Amino acid sequence: KAGVTQTPRYLIKTRGQQVTLSCSPISGHRSVSWYQQTPGQGLQFLFEYFSETQRNKGNFPGRFSGRQFSNSRSEMNVSTLELGDSALYLCASRGDVSGNTIYFGEGSWLTVV
Amino acid sequence: DQQVKQNSPSLSVQEGRISILNCDYTNSMFDYFLWYKKYPAEGPTFLISISSIKDKNEDGRFTVFLNKSAKHLSLHIVPSQPGDSAVYFCASINQAGTALIFGKGTTLSVSS
């Protein structure tokens, strides 16, 4: 069974640009969540989607947004990039809203210059 | 305010010995905890979990202990191996069941 797949793995963007990251959850999993990891803040929750609906959102500005498609694949978008957005962005999936084991992808490394 | 705390940023252990990683939480409503292992530039890998109805869960070399009264859990790795060297994160599922709340992590170094 394939794991959580994230693309792209590495990318470099310029301040002010926008970026879209993609995530394909484990086959059959309908819940997808996104996390940001930075050296200073650790792993922080961005948002979770289940059946194309955002169920919860972390404490991030509106520049961070996401969506989920009918096939459970998800994208997150960051607009007007800032240097501080440089981070590892992790996607995670689980089978359903009551499933407690959450599996992570390899992450997308974003560098903003 | 950190709800999940890993107060030891690093731990060094010799191969073959026991590694004990500690985690404290502040919210008594938390009822499910997970441990993840992470290498640099990779996603966290799920190791083991425990529900608050248990006080111990074991999986091979990994055992997690939960002390609800102290709001404390620990991960024991026995015997430790050099390949265990990584950052270990303790996490709890939030009350809504929608997100993981992570500790800052503990870097484990196992020397041969």
Side-chain angles (χ1 to χ4, degrees):
Chain A
K1 196 172 186 180
V4 180
T5 305
Q6 291 187 245
T7 57
R9 287 278 283 134
Y10 304 92
L11 68 166
I12 300 173
K13 290 286 188 177
T14 305
R15 268 183 303 175
Q17 287 186 313
Q18 66 92 26
V19 67
T20 299
L21 309 176
S22 180
C23 172
S24 293
I26 292 170
S27 178
H29 283 193
R30 295 193 293 162
S31 166
V32 173
S33 50
W34 290 87
Y35 292 80
Q36 181 198 63
Q37 185 184 21
T38 58
Q41 298 298 320
L43 278 151
Q44 292 189 292
F45 171 73
L46 279 156
F47 25 67
E48 187 201 31
Y49 288 87
F50 180 81
S51 293
E52 301 178 67
T53 301
Q54 186 181 89
R55 291 207 311 146
N56 195 11
K57 188 173 177 4
N59 190 24
F60 279 82
R63 300 185 296 107
F64 291 81
S65 62
R67 58 178 176 167
Q68 186 181 33
F69 302 96
S70 57
N71 62 358
S72 294
R73 192 176 68 83
S74 176
E75 288 180 348
M76 68 161 281
N77 184 277
V78 188
S79 63
T80 319
L81 284 165
E82 301 175 0
L83 295 179
D85 297 332
S86 296
L88 178 65
Y89 290 88
L90 293 158
C91 173
S93 79
R94 57 176 164 169
D96 56 49
V97 294
S98 62
N100 283 331
T101 301
I102 298 174
Y103 299 94
F104 285 85
E106 297 279 290
S108 292
W109 268 112
L110 170 65
T111 301
V112 182
V113 297
Chain B
D1 181 33
Q2 261 192 287
Q3 298 187 70
V4 177
K5 300 177 187 178
Q6 293 176 259
N7 292 320
S8 298
S10 62
L11 174 68
S12 294
V13 171
Q14 280 194 313
E15 182 179 7
R17 309 293 288 266
I18 183 171
S19 295
I20 300 177
L21 297 105
N22 294 304
C23 178
D24 297 297
Y25 60 96
T26 58
N27 191 332
S28 58
M29 299 299 290
F30 286 167
D31 60 7
Y32 199 84
F33 304 90
L34 306 91
W35 283 93
Y36 287 86
K37 172 182 176 181
K38 188 178 183 301
Y39 295 114
E42 294 185 9
T45 301
F46 169 73
L47 278 176
I48 192 168
S49 61
I50 188 165
S51 162
S52 61
I53 63 172
K54 294 185 173 182
D55 54 18
K56 176 183 172 181
N57 190 25
E58 198 170 348
D59 184 1
R61 297 186 298 115
F62 302 93
T63 303
V64 56
F65 295 91
L66 176 61
N67 182 332
K68 291 184 288 292
S69 60
K71 298 195 192 73
H72 176 84
L73 60 156
S74 60
L75 174 68
H76 292 211
I77 306 174
V78 184
S80 301
Q81 299 172 353
D84 295 330
S85 297
V87 180
Y88 289 78
F89 289 95
C90 168
S92 174
I93 292 198
N94 68 350
Q95 288 175 250
T98 56
L100 287 169
I101 300 172
F102 283 91
K104 296 285 191 187
T106 297
T107 299
L108 173 66
S109 299
V110 180
S111 56
S112 53

